[in-house]
Amino acid sequence: MKTYDFQSSNAFVELFEIPPYRSGALDGLSFAVKDNIDIRDRSTSYGSKPWRETHPPAAYHAVCVEQLLMAGARCVGKTVADELTYSLDGENHFYGTPVNPRAPDRIPGGSSSGSASAVACGLVDFALGTDCGGSIRVPASLCGVYGMRPSLHRISEAGVLPFAPSVSTVGVLARTLPVLRQAMRVLLRSQAQALPPVRNIYLLQDAFEIADPAIRDALSGCVASFDGLPHVTVKSISLREITGLDLSLRSCNEDALRVLQTAEIANALGGWIRASQPEQGPNFRAGYRNVESFDRSAMSEALNLCETLFARVAAFTQPGDVFCYPTVPVLTPKKGVLTGRNLAAVLDYYDRTMAVTSFAGVARLPEITVPLAQVDGLPVGLSLAAGHYQDEFLLDAGLLLWG
């Protein structure tokens, strides 16, 4: 694999050095910060130069940044985010495309594109990102690194620019599973506790069926290895069996997560866009037209559906349960393909990917993606999800299975 430095990776909006405040659990580790998360005295771009130019510098570090500095980690800069974080491809109109070092002709995935690139290039030990519809999990999988979306709102979002509060959360991308666990335990404020062993691994059948055959084949050996685990039951299961509802993963996305995302993005960005009329990249402009034309009367039903799905999944999930499925159901697209000129490719990538990512998003589950396989040299991630607020158990389960 070619070596990339801080400049050639195109992963960073700006470089700087913030030393740790004191010694702690993260001594000797370096991290970067997605540029929708505040750093004191620096303007946050939100992936948009017009946003950066029209907003003042932050008065304080985001709380999650302070936690890491207090635990001994060193901050080295802010990383590129997709424009206003509204994308899963990683190709930014203003800042360019951070390199995917595992596949330089392919996208890094978004919207935590720069964070994934910085980690995959070996420039930092871990990086902060945010995740709504897959913005940590997707780039982690496509760039071949570890990533975690925690239970919704387990990590403080003070100092993080708003996007879709009902489904967005702060999380981490890391070079190794132990580093991911170290950083996450600091951010989660984890306490010493007895954790259950892994008892049941549920293979989410809907997600495997949505995935490309090559991805299913690549992950088959990883999944087969579960059968040799003592005292662990492995079972295929569908979303309908989990929830008792006649609902597919595609409906979980289209009728719940995507509706909430679209409505809340309008609240977060609409006033500024209307007042400032900022320059917009073509991909963002195309996506935001859907926001502007959205019928907000659908929002109440989507909120109720999300609450129902959360409650049904929570009632099903017992201590020791994990769900397993492909993180991203499609192979990494080439750069420049996901544009309005290739609408079919755009729809296929987003519809299938967000169908899979919506499961943990709507059910508020913690999810880890692990780089376990390859197809023609392209990284393929496998995800584990656990019950709501079972983040520490999930981290330990990942170490048990792959540590």
Side-chain angles (χ1 to χ4, degrees):
M1 185 177 75
K2 180 180 175 181
T3 300
Y4 294 89
D5 60 19
F6 284 93
Q7 281 71 42
S8 62
S9 70
N10 200 46
F12 286 84
V13 173
E14 58 179 328
L15 295 166
F16 48 80
E17 181 89 9
I18 305 177
Y21 289 170
R22 65 186 187 192
S23 180
L26 303 180
D27 281 357
L29 298 180
S30 63
F31 72 99
V33 177
K34 182 178 179 179
D35 201 18
N36 63 336
I37 299 172
D38 284 345
I39 295 291
R40 186 180 59 226
D41 298 329
R42 298 182 181 275
S43 295
T44 303
S45 80
Y46 210 169
S48 164
K49 287 185 178 179
W51 180 280
R52 186 176 189 174
E53 292 162 359
T54 55
H55 288 79
Y60 302 94
H61 297 320
V63 168
C64 56
V65 174
E66 298 271 9
Q67 286 180 273
L68 299 173
L69 294 171
M70 291 291 285
R74 172 175 58 94
C75 182
V76 302
K78 300 194 82 172
T79 55
V80 174
D82 285 6
E83 186 175 352
L84 300 171
T85 71
Y86 191 31
S87 176
L88 286 177
D89 59 52
E91 300 182 277
N92 187 294
H93 171 71
F94 298 101
Y95 297 104
T97 303
V99 71
N100 180 342
R102 305 287 194 270
D105 65 330
R106 308 278 173 147
I107 63 170
S111 63
S112 304
S113 53
S115 291
S117 176
V119 171
C121 289
L123 303 175
V124 290
D125 296 297
F126 68 95
L128 286 174
T130 56
D131 189 300
C132 172
S135 288
I136 286 173
R137 294 162 287 166
V138 171
S141 179
L142 300 189
C143 290
V145 300
Y146 298 83
M148 183 171 180
R149 172 198 167 93
S151 295
L152 188 65
H153 304 319
R154 270 291 306 261
I155 297 175
S156 172
E157 290 145 34
V160 181
L161 291 173
F163 185 66
S166 292
V167 283
S168 293
T169 185
V170 175
V172 169
L173 304 96
R175 294 175 65 184
T176 69
L177 198 51
V179 168
L180 180 71
R181 182 177 182 272
Q182 282 178 270
M184 285 300 305
R185 286 184 63 86
V186 167
L187 294 168
L188 294 167
R189 307 171 302 281
S190 297
Q191 307 296 308
Q193 58 183 303
L195 299 172
V198 176
R199 296 190 176 97
N200 298 297
I201 299 178
Y202 292 104
L203 307 178
L204 190 57
Q205 177 182 324
D206 314 52
F208 281 96
E209 290 173 353
I210 289 172
D212 289 344
I215 289 176
R216 292 199 299 268
D217 291 344
L219 293 174
S220 61
C222 308
V223 171
S225 68
F226 296 150
D227 290 327
L229 296 171
H231 313 298
V232 174
T233 300
V234 182
K235 178 184 177 182
S236 290
I237 198 167
S238 68
L239 184 64
R240 289 180 176 87
E241 291 174 291
I242 296 168
T243 64
L245 301 172
D246 187 18
L247 194 74
S248 68
L249 277 182
R250 291 181 187 271
S251 295
C252 185
N253 173 41
E254 294 165 5
D255 299 332
L257 185 141
R258 188 173 288 181
V259 174
L260 285 190
Q261 182 190 61
T262 304
E264 293 187 349
I265 289 167
N267 287 96
L269 301 177
W272 175 73
I273 289 176
R274 184 177 295 177
S276 300
Q277 295 294 304
E279 178 188 352
Q280 299 169 23
N283 286 1
F284 176 84
R285 187 164 57 248
Y288 195 73
R289 280 197 287 268
N290 296 327
V291 174
E292 293 176 313
S293 63
F294 174 66
D295 179 2
R296 293 180 69 87
S297 66
M299 182 171 51
S300 180
E301 188 173 344
L303 281 165
N304 289 333
L305 178 57
C306 281
E307 196 64 27
T308 298
L309 287 166
F310 165 69
R312 296 288 184 100
V313 174
F316 175 88
T317 310
Q318 301 300 310
D321 289 353
V322 292
F323 301 99
C324 178
Y325 45 90
T327 307
V328 180
V330 301
L331 293 175
T332 315
K334 289 188 175 181
K335 290 191 287 189
V337 167
L338 299 178
T339 69
R341 297 188 303 274
N342 299 294
L343 186 57
V346 173
L347 292 176
D348 180 64
Y349 174 72
Y350 278 91
D351 289 350
R352 286 202 283 156
T353 299
M354 291 187 67
V356 174
T357 62
S358 69
F359 175 63
V362 169
R364 308 173 201 169
L365 306 180
E367 179 183 333
I368 293 173
T369 177
V370 180
L372 285 183
Q374 292 187 358
V375 174
D376 297 330
L378 302 177
V380 173
L382 185 67
S383 277
L384 281 186
H388 182 59
Y389 262 60
Q390 296 299 306
D391 304 67
E392 288 84 359
F393 159 71
L394 181 63
L395 286 162
D396 280 12
L399 283 175
L400 169 70
L401 297 175
W402 300 301

